[in-house]
């Protein structure tokens, strides 16, 4: 064999060796990738399980499966997937049928552009009536009371509120419990930052930013979640200050959930919707809150609502009662019916205060009621009997 032939053979041998080594390295990398992916899947599953406080919903399980599928793909664009690939599954019911909502002019519409009306109960402060934030409670509201949405009221100031010494992690866990339950039941759900004694929402603006950042990150893929960023501005709060606050909070939510419906309260305990009509926010998918108590608020306020809606303002009655504005006193069901006539005329969404057994007229249950689901008339105050009958008669 010539020296030239030997050099050729050595060159061939080196090439074969390099090829074999490359093949073995690729096989090892593939094994490592599989191991890493499996570990990622296991970690994701453990994290998702830990985030569920009390409701192990089918929707949460499906969300975990969706996350596992994304992990398997190893996609570099997982942070910006298609809506179809990441939307959290909603249980069979109203919310799964109507999908993601949006605001069209003065109307709330569903995923197909059809007008939609949400209605149901608002909880009292979840910090001191947590027993009513449950799957069973909401199931009774859905199946027996014929409601399609629930509002979760988290006080920011009073009664160990979120910003005044309340256990923030516990309160957030109650919100998650409520959202998970509503999601599994195919209901819409409002997360309410319940400003009241703090008067101006700017008092706890930074806490609000952090809270809604976390909530919107958590529920960015939930088409059934609505954010209410300030319940009832009052006292010295003006529309200018509320609007300035909203301009800072809305982008925090939009960064994670760009199409979410957001409710903005109005001054004077969410009565001055005419000020919002005169100077609205330059944002899409915004509803403006009007609150009333039928024993106190009569034709002046319902005429204001009627005028604002007719002139294009999207309004939601995110809280009302049949008694006076204190939440107590005598119920005025004739006035309440007059309010309902205007609400139904414009297909406005509405939520009754409150789902609790507090010793006051606005609570729908008697103080002696210890049930948290399956309520009968014997468990209810007069307000509870009236509003359940109203809900049941809706088509």
């Amino acid at each position: 064999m010539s020296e030239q032939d030997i050099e050729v053979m050595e060159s061939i041998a080196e090439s074969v060796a390099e090829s074999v080594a490359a093949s073995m390295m690729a096989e090892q990398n593939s094994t490592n990738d599989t191991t890493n992916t499996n570990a990622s899947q296991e970690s994701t599953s453990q994290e998702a399980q830990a985030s569920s406080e009390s409701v192990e919903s089918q929707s949460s399980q499906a969300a975990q499966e969706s996350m596992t599928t994304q992990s398997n793909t190893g996609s570099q664009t997982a942070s910006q997937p298609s809506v179809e690939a990441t939307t959290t599954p909603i249980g069979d019911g109203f919310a799964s049928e109507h999908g993601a909502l949006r605001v069209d002019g003065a109307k709330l519409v569903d995923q197909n552009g059809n007008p939609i009306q949400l209605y149901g109960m608002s909880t009292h402060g979840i910090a001191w009536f947590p027993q009513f934030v449950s799957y069973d409670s909401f199931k009774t509201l859905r199946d027996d009371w014929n409601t399609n949405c629930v509002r979760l009221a988290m006080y920011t100031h009073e009664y160990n509120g979120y910003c005044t010494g309340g256990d923030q992690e516990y309160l957030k866990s109650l919100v998650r419990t409520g959202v998970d339950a509503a999601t599994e039941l195919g209901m819409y759900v409002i997360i309410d930052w319940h400003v009241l004694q703090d008067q101006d929402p700017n008092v706890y603006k930074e806490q609000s930013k952090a809270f809604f950042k976390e909530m919107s990150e958590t529920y960015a893929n939930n088409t059934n979640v609505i954010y209410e960023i300030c319940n009832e501005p009052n006292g010295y709060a003006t529309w200018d200050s509320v609007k300035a606050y909203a301009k800072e909070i809305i982008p925090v939510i939009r960064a994670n959930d760009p199409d979410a419906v957001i409710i903005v309260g109005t001054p004077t305990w969410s009565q001055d919707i005419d000020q919002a009509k005169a100077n609205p926010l330059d944002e899409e998918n915004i509803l403006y809150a009007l609150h009333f108590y039928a024993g106190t608020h009569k034709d002046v306020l319902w005429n204001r609502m009627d005028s604002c809606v007719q002139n294009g303002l999207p309004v939601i009655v995110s809280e009302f009662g049949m008694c006076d504005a204190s939440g107590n006193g005598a119920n005025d069901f004739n006035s309440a019916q007059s309010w309902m006539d205007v609400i139904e005329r414009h297909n406005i969404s509405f939520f009754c205060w409150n789902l609790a057994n507090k010793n006051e007229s606005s609570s729908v249950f008697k103080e002696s009621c210890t049930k948290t689901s399956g309520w009968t008339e014997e468990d209810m105050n007069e307000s509870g009997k009236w509003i359940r009958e109203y809900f049941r008669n809706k088509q």
Side-chain angles (χ1 to χ4, degrees), residues 209-223:
K209 284 181 180 179
F211 174 78
F212 282 111
K213 179 178 185 295
E214 182 173 346
M215 291 297 109
S216 59
E217 286 174 345
T218 302
Y219 299 114
N221 299 323
N222 281 62
T223 58

Side-chain angles (χ1 to χ4, degrees), residues 6-62:
I6 293 173
E7 290 176 354
V8 170
M9 292 296 291
E10 289 176 345
S11 176
I12 292 173
E14 289 175 359
S15 297
V16 170
E18 289 173 357
S19 177
V20 170
S23 177
M24 293 175 65
M25 181 65 70
E27 181 177 355
Q28 180 64 38
N29 288 340
S30 175
T31 301
N32 290 341
D33 287 345
T34 301
T35 301
N36 291 337
T37 299
N38 289 337
S40 174
Q41 294 170 8
E42 181 179 356
S43 174
T44 301
S45 176
Q46 291 172 348
E47 290 171 2
Q49 182 178 357
S51 71
S52 175
E53 297 296 323
S54 65
V55 180
E56 297 179 3
S57 65
Q58 297 172 356
S59 59
S60 296
Q61 295 170 1

Side-chain angles (χ1 to χ4, degrees), residues 331-351:
N331 291 301
D332 188 338
F333 296 123
N334 289 331
S335 175
Q337 186 58 58
S338 295
W339 271 102
M340 289 300 150
D341 292 343
V342 181
I343 284 171
E344 299 294 359
R345 185 185 312 146
H346 296 299
N347 206 44
I348 294 170
S349 298
F350 61 98
F351 298 86

Side-chain angles (χ1 to χ4, degrees), residues 152-303:
L152 305 173
M154 186 177 69
Y155 278 74
T156 53
H157 183 85
E158 55 267 49
Y159 301 103
N160 287 320
Y162 187 87
C163 303
T164 56
D167 185 336
Q168 294 188 356
E169 292 306 314
Y170 172 64
L171 291 171
K172 286 187 290 189
S173 77
L174 286 174
V175 172
R176 289 193 294 269
T177 293
V179 173
D180 287 348
T183 300
E184 184 174 355
L185 289 163
M187 302 174 75
Y188 290 95
V189 57
I190 297 170
I191 300 175
D192 165 34
W193 184 254
H194 204 82
V195 172
L196 191 59
Q197 286 187 6
D198 30 342
Q199 298 188 334
D200 192 309
N202 289 286
V203 172
Y204 300 121
K205 179 178 64 179
E206 295 307 314
Q207 292 93 326
S208 176
K209 284 181 180 179
F211 174 78
F212 282 111
K213 179 178 185 295
E214 182 173 346
M215 291 297 109
S216 59
E217 286 174 345
T218 302
Y219 299 114
N221 299 323
N222 281 62
T223 58
N224 64 323
V225 174
I226 296 169
Y227 305 94
E228 185 168 8
I229 64 174
C230 52
N231 165 60
E232 288 185 351
N234 63 86
Y236 65 92
T238 66
W239 176 239
D240 284 344
S241 67
V242 173
K243 188 175 180 181
Y245 163 82
K247 285 182 176 179
E248 293 197 50
I249 304 302
I250 291 171
V252 172
I253 298 172
R254 294 280 189 243
N256 299 308
D257 197 346
D259 299 318
V261 172
I262 298 172
I263 302 170
V264 181
T266 55
T268 316
W269 295 277
S270 283
Q271 296 171 45
D272 294 341
I273 55 172
D274 52 329
Q275 295 180 20
K277 177 66 184 74
N279 185 21
L281 287 155
D282 186 20
E283 295 279 354
E284 295 182 350
N285 291 332
I286 301 297
L287 295 170
Y288 298 90
L290 180 138
H291 293 177
F292 73 85
Y293 282 82
T296 300
H297 306 117
K298 311 287 184 177
D299 55 339
V300 171
L301 195 54
W302 73 58
N303 286 335

